[in-house]
Amino acid sequence: MALSAIIFTTIFLTINYLYSTFASPIVSNGDVFTGQSLNVTHSLAKRQWAPADQKCTTPAQWDSRVCRPTIGDRAWEDRCRGPTGGAVIRYVLSFCADENTICSNILYQNTVETIECIPRPVAQSQVPAPNQETGVAPFGSNYDLDVEHIQSVTLTNDISLASVSALLEDSGGKYLVTPFFALEGNLRGTTSKICDYNVTNRDCVPSGRYNLKKGNIIDFTFGITPGQVVRLYWAIIGGS
Ligand SMILES: *[C@@H]1O[C@H](CO)[C@@H](O)[C@H](O)[C@H]1NC(C)=O
Ligand SMILES: *[C@@H]1O[C@H](CO)[C@@H](O)[C@H](O)[C@H]1NC(C)=O
């Protein structure tokens, strides 16, 4: 399939001796437009936004929030900078309050890592809220020798500025299963890996935000060892 790409790179030299680099690749392929920006900002730059319930000493110290599925599927942590900014020095663990939710990684304003507590999926194709689709599917059996698996998800609605994530759990939904081959999500018909394996957290995390259309297919692929029985959870969470 033809793929045309336009890449703009602009380097801004801002006042206050602050250097910001902003590179925005825009890929268009048929109906699918992906807008991803890589906003690498000098560490002296102050963040514009922090969640209202951020756990750092001050909102200015808040860096990011990510799910920690190795601890539990409702666990997440805030990462906090020191009083003068700079590197992340403190991690504050917390949990989605509602027991019937799971933590889902999303991107805010295209680049800020944060999370949303979403209703725990109980079936293959669910619409928990407008501009969202989630699901869960079982894989493997005690006698199964297949190690590579694919779950193809066809969108039933348009979802704008979507963050796509996924994770594997045991069949009881109690603990995270580390895939044998990395868990990834690819947008069919494109080269976009819209959810990418995170080695630290052993889940598939959003690689950007994508304007997805009804009928688009996301192929989640992963490997498990023979005889392993798992659940795959996925979430496609639109943004504004
Ligand atoms: C890049 O990040 C900085 C600091 O968070 C923000 O002020 C700026 O608007 C961002 N630029 C873009 C194009 O997203
Ligand atoms: C993925 O892993 C990297 C490196 O450990 C970490 O900095 C990043 O925040 C992680 N992202 C998510 C969404 O877990």
Side-chain angles (χ1 to χ4, degrees):
M1 192 171 276
L3 183 78
S4 59
I6 307 165
I7 298 172
F8 299 104
T9 305
T10 313
I11 297 167
F12 297 108
L13 172 59
T14 65
I15 49 167
N16 300 332
Y17 309 101
L18 195 79
Y19 295 82
S20 283
T21 308
F22 169 51
S24 170
I26 298 167
V27 181
S28 107
N29 188 338
D31 266 344
V32 180
F33 292 89
T34 65
Q36 269 184 282
S37 43
L38 186 68
N39 190 348
V40 183
T41 313
H42 192 281
S43 60
L44 285 174
K46 283 233 163 64
R47 276 215 182 275
Q48 309 283 308
W49 179 84
D53 63 345
Q54 65 84 25
K55 310 293 183 204
C56 302
T57 311
T58 66
Q61 283 169 250
W62 186 85
D63 174 80
S64 52
R65 175 176 292 184
V66 298
C67 299
R68 293 303 315 277
T70 56
I71 294 167
D73 59 17
R74 286 160 50 217
W76 50 265
E77 77 188 5
D78 270 358
R79 287 137 26 133
C80 310
R81 302 175 193 278
T84 55
V88 168
I89 56 162
R90 203 160 71 91
Y91 301 84
V92 186
L93 187 67
S94 196
F95 292 85
C96 293
D98 184 338
E99 284 190 17
N100 295 314
T101 60
I102 60 171
C103 182
S104 180
N105 288 296
I106 62 167
L107 294 171
Y108 180 70
Q109 293 173 348
N110 286 346
T111 54
V112 182
E113 285 182 324
T114 187
I115 66 111
E116 195 167 310
C117 298
I118 59 164
R120 179 182 295 274
V122 294
Q124 281 220 9
S125 180
Q126 300 192 267
V127 179
N131 218 22
Q132 299 187 354
E133 291 188 25
T134 64
V136 59
F139 283 92
S141 76
N142 290 334
Y143 310 103
D144 196 354
L145 294 180
D146 287 343
V147 293
E148 289 188 78
H149 294 279
I150 181 166
Q151 171 72 34
S152 299
V153 174
T154 304
L155 291 198
T156 57
N157 296 287
D158 292 355
I159 301 184
S160 54
L161 298 172
S163 298
V164 178
S165 62
L167 65 92
L168 289 174
E169 282 190 346
D170 72 298
S171 57
K174 287 224 169 14
Y175 58 87
L176 187 77
V177 169
T178 303
F180 184 61
F181 297 134
L183 172 59
E184 298 177 356
N186 289 278
L187 186 56
R188 195 181 292 181
T190 74
T191 54
S192 300
K193 192 183 286 182
I194 61 180
C195 147
D196 203 1
Y197 189 60
N198 191 289
V199 175
T200 309
N201 291 315
R202 303 182 208 161
D203 54 356
C204 194
V205 306
S207 63
R209 297 207 298 179
Y210 297 84
N211 288 324
L212 302 175
K213 299 287 176 203
K214 179 179 177 170
N216 280 169
I217 298 169
I218 301 170
D219 293 312
F220 292 102
T221 55
F222 59 95
I224 48 178
T225 51
Q228 211 166 16
V229 186
V230 301
R231 282 178 192 178
L232 172 72
Y233 286 100
W234 63 89
I236 304 150
I237 307 294
S240 53

